Amino acid sequence: HPEEQLAASVTAELSDSSNNTSTRSISVGKMMAQKLKFSKKKSETAPCSEESDEPRGSSSSITDHSTSYLRRLTPRPSSLTEDLKDAASIMQQLENYQIDDEHHSKCTDEVNDTASTSEKDALQALNQQDLSYADIVNIMAKNPQLAVMNEGLYALSLIHELDSNTAEETVNYGGFDVIINAMDVCAKDGIAQVNACKVIFIACLNGENVQGDIARAGAMKSLRNSIESFSDDEIVLEGCLLALSSLCIVEDNIVYMLEGDLIDQVIITMNGHLDCGGLQEHGCVILGLLARNVEARRRISKACGFNSIVISMAINHGDVEVQCQALTAVRAFCAIDDDSCKVLLATSGAVSAVLEAMKAHPDLNRVHEIGCDVIRLLSLGRNDDNNRLLGENGAYTVVVRSMW
């Protein structure tokens, strides 16, 4: 396939660029994924229907990849520490036994028990059935210990249907500040980061006010730190891009994407995990949404983000969701009144990638609708090279076949 040849020719270069980053911290998420049996079932190709291939762009939505991610089972954090606590208790008893002062030993045990009482109570409360969203957040706010924050993120991640009233109430009492703070407190725990990403995505389904509040709480910075810390952990990275794709829907939130090197990190992440369909889908959504901002477009161009979109289409040519979101991203850049974007897309191989996507999915109306629009936009203006490329690649024949 032409797309496979294109992918092979640039994969080595992309891998080299992604390897130029500094050494990251050890991936807790990867270790736990193996030890605790994360569900790694990949999404099957979406059926050829109008319901399954609707691109995201104006609102946060559920796709097969995002549904699969939400269904990944993570273990209850407190259950992981029970054995460790038992071992620590035994060691403490042995140490106390060796101290030839029974009174001192007894006092030490009493102090330790008193110090951990509030944490134990909070953890027990979080394990009660039928806790509301507000109840969980309130427990986390009153008990900011690492274990409680971790358990709280886990409990919130199990609530997949957050109604709009609860979401707005959470905004009003500063609940999302508590959630983002919990993500930072648990920054070294991969499982906690996965749960936090789920919580952010689910909350963002409730509209722009919630999305804006989460961004103002510092979500972009927290997600950027998670991407850097877990650069080899696809489970964490997919969650981070899923969360970012929901936050970028609000144009005012793009300013947070411009802080630091977050855009570069998104592109590096895409380049380093080319065959992870969910990650590629969410990355394409992010880049397409960023097309609205001049500075974001400049940074994407500088970081060779157009290449990343094209390579994503080539590597994942059988993944409908990746194809639709990549096509939507290409269309977003073509729709901008900036001929330089069209030129860069064309020289990156976008023309061939778009046509191959249309050929590979002849019965998928949405792919052909977006593809035809991209061809129309590329042919506009005074760029003869783009029109030549369209002709040489048989674009007009593909368009005619789309009408059959």
Side-chain angles (χ1 to χ4, degrees):
H1 294 286
E3 64 270 17
E4 292 175 347
Q5 296 174 2
L6 174 64
S9 66
V10 296
T11 299
E13 180 180 348
L14 290 173
S15 297
D16 290 341
S17 64
S18 65
N19 287 334
N20 288 332
T21 55
S22 58
T23 303
R24 313 300 190 190
S25 62
I26 296 175
S27 172
V28 177
K30 178 176 287 186
M31 176 185 70
M32 288 301 185
Q34 183 177 13
K35 181 178 179 181
L36 303 170
K37 300 181 181 178
F38 265 125
S39 172
K40 289 191 175 182
K41 180 180 179 182
K42 292 187 176 180
S43 299
E44 297 179 356
T45 300
C48 295
S49 66
E50 291 302 296
E51 290 77 20
S52 66
D53 63 337
E54 183 68 29
R56 284 182 277 155
S58 60
S59 63
S60 189
S61 61
I62 299 287
T63 66
D64 280 358
H65 283 308
S66 54
T67 298
S68 176
Y69 194 84
L70 292 178
R71 288 176 178 172
R72 287 185 186 275
L73 299 177
T74 56
R76 182 167 60 87
S78 58
S79 68
L80 302 178
T81 59
E82 287 173 358
D83 290 340
L84 295 176
K85 286 180 179 178
D86 290 342
S89 177
I90 292 172
M91 291 299 295
Q92 184 66 54
Q93 291 175 21
L94 290 173
E95 291 176 2
N96 292 336
Y97 180 78
Q98 293 172 357
I99 298 175
D100 192 21
D101 187 341
E102 294 182 2
H103 179 70
H104 172 75
S105 177
K106 182 178 180 181
C107 289
T108 300
D109 289 340
E110 289 177 352
V111 170
N112 289 337
D113 290 342
T114 302
S116 61
T117 298
S118 61
E119 182 177 334
K120 288 179 179 178
D121 290 343
L123 291 173
Q124 290 176 357
L126 287 171
N127 280 281
Q128 293 178 4
Q129 297 294 324
D130 300 325
L131 276 181
S132 70
Y133 200 91
D135 289 336
I136 297 170
V137 175
N138 284 332
I139 292 171
M140 295 167 66
K142 294 176 181 178
N143 302 271
Q145 302 96 330
L146 186 148
V148 177
M149 292 295 201
N150 202 337
E151 192 81 10
L153 289 174
Y154 169 77
L156 290 173
S157 74
L158 299 178
I159 302 176
H160 289 182
E161 295 183 6
L162 178 63
D163 65 89
S164 58
N165 289 333
T166 300
E168 290 298 331
E169 289 174 1
T170 307
V171 170
N172 294 335
Y173 66 73
F176 290 116
D177 292 271
V178 175
I179 291 170
I180 300 305
N181 179 58
M183 186 176 185
D184 293 336
V185 169
C186 303
K188 295 182 179 180
D189 189 323
I191 295 175
Q193 299 302 298
V194 168
N195 290 330
C197 291
K198 291 181 182 180
V199 173
I200 291 172
F201 173 73
I202 293 167
C204 284
L205 295 173
N206 288 280
E208 293 189 2
N209 190 40
V210 175
Q211 294 159 7
D213 188 66
I214 293 174
R216 286 189 293 272
M220 263 73 163
K221 183 178 180 181
S222 299
L223 289 165
R224 185 250 176 264
N225 292 338
S226 186
I227 289 172
E228 183 176 34
S229 297
F230 298 94
S231 60
D232 294 324
D233 193 323
E234 281 190 354
I235 296 175
V236 176
L237 294 175
E238 183 180 345
C240 288
L241 295 198
L242 173 63
L244 284 172
S245 70
S246 297
L247 292 169
C248 288
I249 292 170
V250 179
E251 190 167 358
D252 289 343
N253 284 352
I254 293 178
V255 64
Y256 301 108
M257 292 291 296
L258 299 176
E259 295 178 355
D261 63 345
L262 184 50
I263 292 177
D264 289 337
Q265 289 297 325
V266 169
I267 294 171
I268 289 171
T269 299
M270 292 178 67
N271 293 344
H273 304 273
L274 294 169
D275 60 350
C276 180
L279 185 153
Q280 294 298 317
E281 177 198 343
H282 310 320
C284 288
V285 172
I286 294 169
L287 297 182
L289 292 170
L290 292 177
R292 297 169 290 177
N293 183 278
V294 175
E295 175 59 20
R297 291 199 301 273
R298 186 190 69 79
R299 295 191 189 186
I300 291 170
S301 175
K302 184 178 180 181
C304 299
F306 298 135
N307 287 345
S308 299
I309 296 172
V310 172
I311 300 306
S312 182
M313 296 179 71
I315 296 293
N316 301 278
H317 53 86
D319 192 315
V320 171
E321 292 170 1
V322 174
Q323 297 298 308
C324 284
Q325 298 305 337
L327 284 169
T328 301
V330 172
R331 180 172 63 178
F333 284 103
C334 289
I336 301 296
D337 188 18
D338 185 351
D339 283 342
S340 63
C341 284
K342 297 177 184 178
V343 172
L344 287 170
L345 281 166
T347 56
S348 297
V351 171
S352 176
V354 170
L355 296 176
E356 289 301 326
M358 295 172 72
K359 293 175 185 177
H361 304 281
D363 300 321
L364 200 55
N365 293 341
R366 191 61 178 164
V367 168
H368 284 260
E369 177 187 340
I370 305 171
C372 287
D373 205 17
V374 170
I375 292 171
R376 176 185 69 84
L377 291 168
L378 284 172
S379 66
L380 295 176
R382 303 176 181 176
N383 195 307
D384 294 334
D385 288 338
N386 282 358
N387 285 309
R388 178 180 56 78
L389 283 170
L390 289 169
E392 291 176 352
N393 285 275
Y396 307 112
T397 301
V398 174
V399 171
V400 172
R401 288 179 178 174
S402 293
M403 300 169 64
W404 293 358

